[in-house]
Amino acid sequence: MSDYLKETIHALQQRFGGDVGEYAGDPRLILKAESIQPLSAALRNEFGFEYLSALTAVDYWPELTPRFHIIYQFSSLVHNCRLEVRVPVADGDTLPTISEEYWSANWHEREIFDMFGVRFDGHPDMRRILMPHDWEGHPLRKDYPLGYEEVQFSFNKDEIMKRKPHPED
């Protein structure tokens, strides 16, 4: 980890609190939801993290409470470093949007809403982006029903063909 990144993490922790961790040699900062908007503004305006390279979520149901972790991956091209910021969120809670600071967060936040059901307050267009607008549920939640069709192989072809609907001739 570079000295610049160590100093940045230390300054952010002093200002916003949170826990500092590391995974596979990459630093991560775990924050409360109300800190993500001012932190993202500080990263962009003061610390030179001009690029939000990824924004995604993880569902830890039923093992962990709160259920979701929203994961922000900030990058600084000038300083050649990355910082992962995680925000634990309970089911039904909302996060403030960071689409004002990072325009690329707009579609990422919509995707997290669509797939996980986590809403972002202040988002300019919070609606589904991948699934049809009348779809019920959020497909990447661990409690979402699978409802898949069995894969056809040579050994089970006859069983599947019996169950498949066929148009009448």
Side-chain angles (χ1 to χ4, degrees):
M1 181 179 348
S2 71
D3 291 337
Y4 180 77
L5 190 55
K6 286 179 187 175
E7 293 169 9
T8 300
I9 291 171
H10 181 70
L12 292 172
Q13 190 179 24
Q14 293 293 323
R15 191 184 310 179
F16 300 105
D19 298 324
V20 176
E22 189 174 301
Y23 179 75
D26 291 330
R28 72 169 47 149
L29 186 59
I30 302 173
L31 288 179
K32 293 184 178 181
E34 60 269 7
S35 299
I36 191 60
Q37 202 170 32
L39 175 118
S40 65
L43 280 173
R44 181 174 183 87
N45 301 329
E46 299 171 33
F47 296 101
F49 284 81
E50 66 273 0
Y51 181 55
L52 178 69
S53 54
L55 174 53
T56 189
V58 177
D59 184 359
Y60 287 110
W61 180 83
E63 290 87 25
L64 189 64
T65 302
R67 178 176 181 166
F68 302 105
H69 275 200
I70 310 302
I71 303 165
Y72 300 83
Q73 190 80 43
F74 297 99
S75 297
S76 173
L77 303 175
V78 173
H79 300 288
N80 192 25
C81 58
R82 282 189 322 234
L83 175 62
E84 178 183 304
V85 177
R86 285 180 172 241
V87 179
V89 179
D91 195 7
D93 285 356
T94 61
L95 280 172
T97 185
I98 64 164
S99 61
E100 292 291 322
E101 290 81 21
Y102 295 94
W103 181 244
S104 63
N106 186 317
W107 283 38
H108 291 296
E109 290 174 351
R110 285 180 61 189
E111 183 179 2
I112 290 171
F113 162 68
D114 197 1
M115 297 288 109
F116 291 95
V118 177
R119 290 190 166 272
F120 292 85
D121 289 335
H123 191 278
D125 189 16
M126 185 56 42
R127 61 186 166 111
R128 288 194 180 270
I129 192 168
L130 298 173
M131 304 301 289
H133 72 281
D134 58 348
W135 191 268
E136 291 188 25
H138 304 282
L140 289 182
R141 287 179 172 230
K142 286 192 176 178
D143 57 353
Y144 188 79
L146 293 177
Y148 59 86
E149 182 177 327
E150 186 178 1
V151 179
Q152 181 175 318
F153 294 102
S154 58
F155 69 86
N156 66 351
K157 178 181 178 186
D158 295 332
E159 292 174 30
I160 290 176
M161 293 310 284
K162 284 181 202 173
R163 293 190 310 245
K164 265 192 168 192
H166 296 284
E168 295 183 23
D169 294 321

